[in-house]
Every structure is written in C-alpha cells, then in structure tokens.
Amino acid sequence: MTSPTPVPTRKEIQITGIRRHVAECVTSVKDSPCGARSNSWDTALHLDVWIRAHADEYEHKKFVKRTEEPVNVFTKPAKRQP
C-alpha cells in the first residue's frame, strides 16, 4: 500500500489584535540599558508623557518607541498551479 501524496501547504500570517505602542528606556546605567518599559497603549499619545515622567524622575535621556502587533501563523493548503 502506498502512502498518500502530501498536500502542498503555505504559511499565512493573520493579525489577531490591535497594534499597541510602547516605549523603553535604553539609557546606559552601570554598563547596561535601564530597560524600564512603559505600559502598552492603543495610541502613541501616552508614550511622550511616560518618557517625560521617566526622564524627570531618573534623568535618563535615551528611549525607543515601538509598535507591537499580535499575529498568529497558520498553515493552509497551497493553491494548485495549473
């Protein structure tokens, strides 16, 4: 008995949530980055407030802003070529 021919598949990426905005302090403290991270928000408006507050409290000066977007990867059958 022969085994069935495998069905070609492809990977799909599906966005599963709302894009979130975060900031992180990368100011060097004792030879490593501070690493303090803001909360995650739906809009970037709150990031500047958090950055200013952290800079005022700790006198840190270097930050990065990032967006995070939750995604899932799933496999589905590939379209057959004629």
Side-chain angles (χ1 to χ4, degrees), residues 35-46:
R37 187 175 161 104
S38 72
N39 288 332
S40 176
W41 291 288
D42 293 347
T43 67
L45 299 174
H46 301 288

Side-chain angles (χ1 to χ4, degrees), residues 5-78:
T5 305
V7 176
T9 60
R10 66 179 186 181
K11 299 275 187 214
E12 292 283 331
I13 296 175
Q14 180 182 36
I15 298 169
T16 58
I18 297 170
R19 180 176 289 146
R20 307 290 289 181
H21 300 267
V22 296
E24 185 176 346
C25 179
V26 294
T27 303
S28 182
V29 179
K30 297 180 183 175
D31 297 326
S32 61
C34 167
R37 187 175 161 104
S38 72
N39 288 332
S40 176
W41 291 288
D42 293 347
T43 67
L45 299 174
H46 301 288
L47 296 181
D48 291 343
V49 173
W50 181 86
I51 289 170
R52 284 186 189 105
H54 186 80
D56 286 346
E57 186 174 349
Y58 298 100
E59 298 183 7
H60 292 175
K61 306 291 184 205
K62 293 185 180 183
F63 298 84
V64 292
K65 292 180 180 180
R66 294 190 175 96
T67 56
E68 297 175 344
E69 193 171 61
V71 297
N72 285 342
V73 176
F74 62 95
T75 304
K76 67 186 251 182

